[in-house]
Amino acid sequence: MLKLPGLIDPHVHVREPGQTHKEDWDSATAAALAGGITMILAMPNTRPPIFDASTLDLALAAAKLKARCDYAQFLGAGPDNAEAVAKLASRAAGLKMYLDSTFGELRLDDMTLWMPHFEQYPKDFPIVLHSEARSMAAGLLFAAIYDRPVHIAHISLKEEVLLIKAAKERGIKVTCEVCPHHLFLTMPPPSPPPFSPKMGEGVRRTGGGWGRKEVRPRLAAQEDVDTLWANLDVIDCFATDHAPHTLPEKDSENPPPGFPGLETILPLLLTAVSESRLTIPTIIEKMHINPKHIFHLPDQPETWVEVDENASYEIRAADLHSRCGWTPFEGWQVKGRVRRVVLRGKEAYKDGEVLAKPGFGKNVRDD
Ligand SMILES: [Zn+2]
């Protein structure tokens, strides 16, 4: 039996407030524990988004009642909330900025809207960037200009990992994460053209094909995947970007992008260990030591994960705890099963059953 420290996922979409038919603080944290993850950092693009004191209170109130594992909540950067979120920094996981297209209160259409956030958000708390390709390069320039750390979410491309490598070599304060789907899946055949009624029939007949591959950043080419694997030392964290949507939503004419991931990240990585593509110390570094350091997270005393390294099994959505009811890794044969999770001295998960009750989880930013 392999014993790991409590794993930390710095990128989770809990979907509460607002879209609890996809997931909520209860089901997301149950899925986390079943996946060997004892602490999650929740993203702010909920409905409403978390971007001021009252919306932060809303998310934290739901989390306090329902979370089964430990957590912190990100704030979202908007066009006119730099001062407000800077004041809330000590209560939040960090600040999330969407530099590519997004919508509503978190929309940052031009770079003058980024500046007050880089100026005002306290430097001892992280700024996390959703920034793809050239937007990421702009984000790195901001990190250099304002001399402050940034963490790049879900890198997926060769050009991204190589630029981050060069930036780190020149002392720019940048860290980054990669998601399992960008390490284990490649670009599907080209997406169909924009929806037409005729096309919709075809998609429906194939039982929901391309909608289940929709994710942002998109799945990349084999060359990108290979370059990520070849540059694992540049990558600071493994994160899920757990972004659940229901199957009817994924198979609809307008599938929303995103994959669930909390319960599959560890078995996928352990399978890579069994194939000598990765080591256990690397998993511990990227899922415990580094996220703790980057996001200034506290110790979780008496917390560990017990894993049967030799257990082989097939990933099946029916066995998962996420409310969304599917996984892009359905039917994959993996090696390495989470058997037991102990969180702050209490048995929180054992052999398929989540034992920690809603409300057991603690906000790690509470003093
Ligand atoms: Zn995300």
Side-chain angles (χ1 to χ4, degrees), residues 69-210:
C69 73
D70 294 349
Y71 59 89
Q73 170 68 51
F74 277 101
L75 294 158
D80 51 18
N81 69 347
E83 202 181 326
V85 289
K87 282 189 188 137
L88 295 167
S90 66
R91 297 179 59 206
L95 181 69
K96 177 74 182 285
M97 297 181 66
Y98 291 87
L99 302 190
D100 298 297
S101 60
T102 182
F103 50 87
E105 288 89 339
L106 305 185
R107 191 171 171 138
L108 298 169
D109 273 335
D110 75 75
M111 288 187 280
T112 61
L113 302 175
W114 307 359
M115 293 160 83
H117 288 290
F118 274 82
E119 281 159 11
Q120 293 178 46
Y121 205 74
K123 283 189 183 180
D124 33 344
F125 293 96
I127 289 183
V128 176
L129 304 180
H130 179 132
S131 58
E132 300 182 32
R134 292 180 190 194
S135 305
M136 191 204 80
L140 294 184
L141 180 62
F142 268 68
I145 291 171
Y146 291 95
D147 188 29
R148 63 153 304 140
V150 296
H151 178 78
I152 311 294
H154 45 53
I155 66 165
S156 63
L157 300 175
K158 175 181 178 178
E159 58 179 318
E160 291 169 349
V161 71
L162 295 184
L163 189 65
I164 289 172
K165 182 172 195 265
K168 283 185 171 189
E169 284 164 4
R170 284 155 185 80
I172 293 175
K173 295 175 179 131
V174 56
T175 55
C176 67
E177 69 193 27
V178 68
C179 305
H181 47 269
H182 292 123
L183 287 175
F184 294 101
L185 299 173
T186 49
M187 187 163 48
S191 288
F195 175 74
S196 72
K198 216 169 146 191
M199 176 62 67
E201 282 308 312
V203 170
R204 271 194 290 275
R205 266 202 307 278
T206 57
W210 69 280

Side-chain angles (χ1 to χ4, degrees), residues 31-366:
L33 287 170
I37 290 159
T38 55
M39 192 190 297
I40 63 168
L41 305 185
M43 285 295 152
N45 60 341
T46 47
R47 299 199 184 158
I50 309 310
F51 71 114
D52 61 9
S54 67
T55 49
L56 180 61
D57 288 343
L58 191 65
L60 292 179
K64 192 180 172 91
L65 280 178
K66 294 162 98 172
R68 298 168 188 261
C69 73
D70 294 349
Y71 59 89
Q73 170 68 51
F74 277 101
L75 294 158
D80 51 18
N81 69 347
E83 202 181 326
V85 289
K87 282 189 188 137
L88 295 167
S90 66
R91 297 179 59 206
L95 181 69
K96 177 74 182 285
M97 297 181 66
Y98 291 87
L99 302 190
D100 298 297
S101 60
T102 182
F103 50 87
E105 288 89 339
L106 305 185
R107 191 171 171 138
L108 298 169
D109 273 335
D110 75 75
M111 288 187 280
T112 61
L113 302 175
W114 307 359
M115 293 160 83
H117 288 290
F118 274 82
E119 281 159 11
Q120 293 178 46
Y121 205 74
K123 283 189 183 180
D124 33 344
F125 293 96
I127 289 183
V128 176
L129 304 180
H130 179 132
S131 58
E132 300 182 32
R134 292 180 190 194
S135 305
M136 191 204 80
L140 294 184
L141 180 62
F142 268 68
I145 291 171
Y146 291 95
D147 188 29
R148 63 153 304 140
V150 296
H151 178 78
I152 311 294
H154 45 53
I155 66 165
S156 63
L157 300 175
K158 175 181 178 178
E159 58 179 318
E160 291 169 349
V161 71
L162 295 184
L163 189 65
I164 289 172
K165 182 172 195 265
K168 283 185 171 189
E169 284 164 4
R170 284 155 185 80
I172 293 175
K173 295 175 179 131
V174 56
T175 55
C176 67
E177 69 193 27
V178 68
C179 305
H181 47 269
H182 292 123
L183 287 175
F184 294 101
L185 299 173
T186 49
M187 187 163 48
S191 288
F195 175 74
S196 72
K198 216 169 146 191
M199 176 62 67
E201 282 308 312
V203 170
R204 271 194 290 275
R205 266 202 307 278
T206 57
W210 69 280
R212 298 188 200 183
K213 305 273 175 147
E214 277 287 71
V215 67
R216 294 293 176 278
R218 288 192 169 85
L219 298 177
Q222 189 63 49
E223 188 185 358
D224 295 296
V225 172
D226 293 344
T227 312
L228 293 177
W229 279 101
N231 289 277
L232 280 184
D233 58 328
V234 177
I235 293 162
D236 300 276
C237 305
F238 294 135
T240 62
D241 192 8
H242 179 82
H245 301 285
T246 65
L247 264 188
E249 290 167 337
K250 291 300 278 181
D251 292 344
S252 71
E253 289 157 8
N254 248 325
F259 296 159
L262 284 165
E263 293 164 89
T264 46
I265 183 171
L266 190 54
L268 288 167
L269 294 175
L270 290 169
T271 304
V273 171
S274 77
E275 294 162 354
S276 305
R277 304 173 73 196
L278 199 63
T279 66
I280 297 290
T282 302
I283 294 180
I284 295 173
E285 176 193 85
K286 297 188 196 312
M287 295 191 73
H288 178 76
I289 297 168
N290 290 349
K292 210 170 139 185
H293 179 74
I294 292 165
F295 297 96
H296 310 296
L297 301 169
D299 280 328
Q300 293 178 293
E302 289 183 79
T303 297
W304 69 86
V305 178
E306 293 171 19
V307 168
D308 181 351
E309 283 173 279
N310 296 314
S312 284
Y313 64 101
E314 193 182 297
I315 293 177
R316 286 190 311 240
D319 299 332
L320 304 181
H321 295 76
S322 168
R323 190 163 292 155
C324 73
W326 75 286
T327 162
F329 301 104
E330 181 76 33
W332 281 42
Q333 196 68 31
V334 287
K335 195 170 180 191
R337 190 194 278 280
V338 177
R339 287 252 107 108
R340 184 165 174 259
V341 177
V342 176
L343 172 55
R344 287 182 278 106
K346 286 244 163 100
E347 197 165 61
Y349 173 86
K350 195 177 181 196
D351 289 332
E353 203 183 337
V354 177
L355 301 170
K357 296 280 178 259
F360 180 70
K362 273 178 45 175
N363 179 356
V364 299
R365 291 294 196 237
D366 272 350

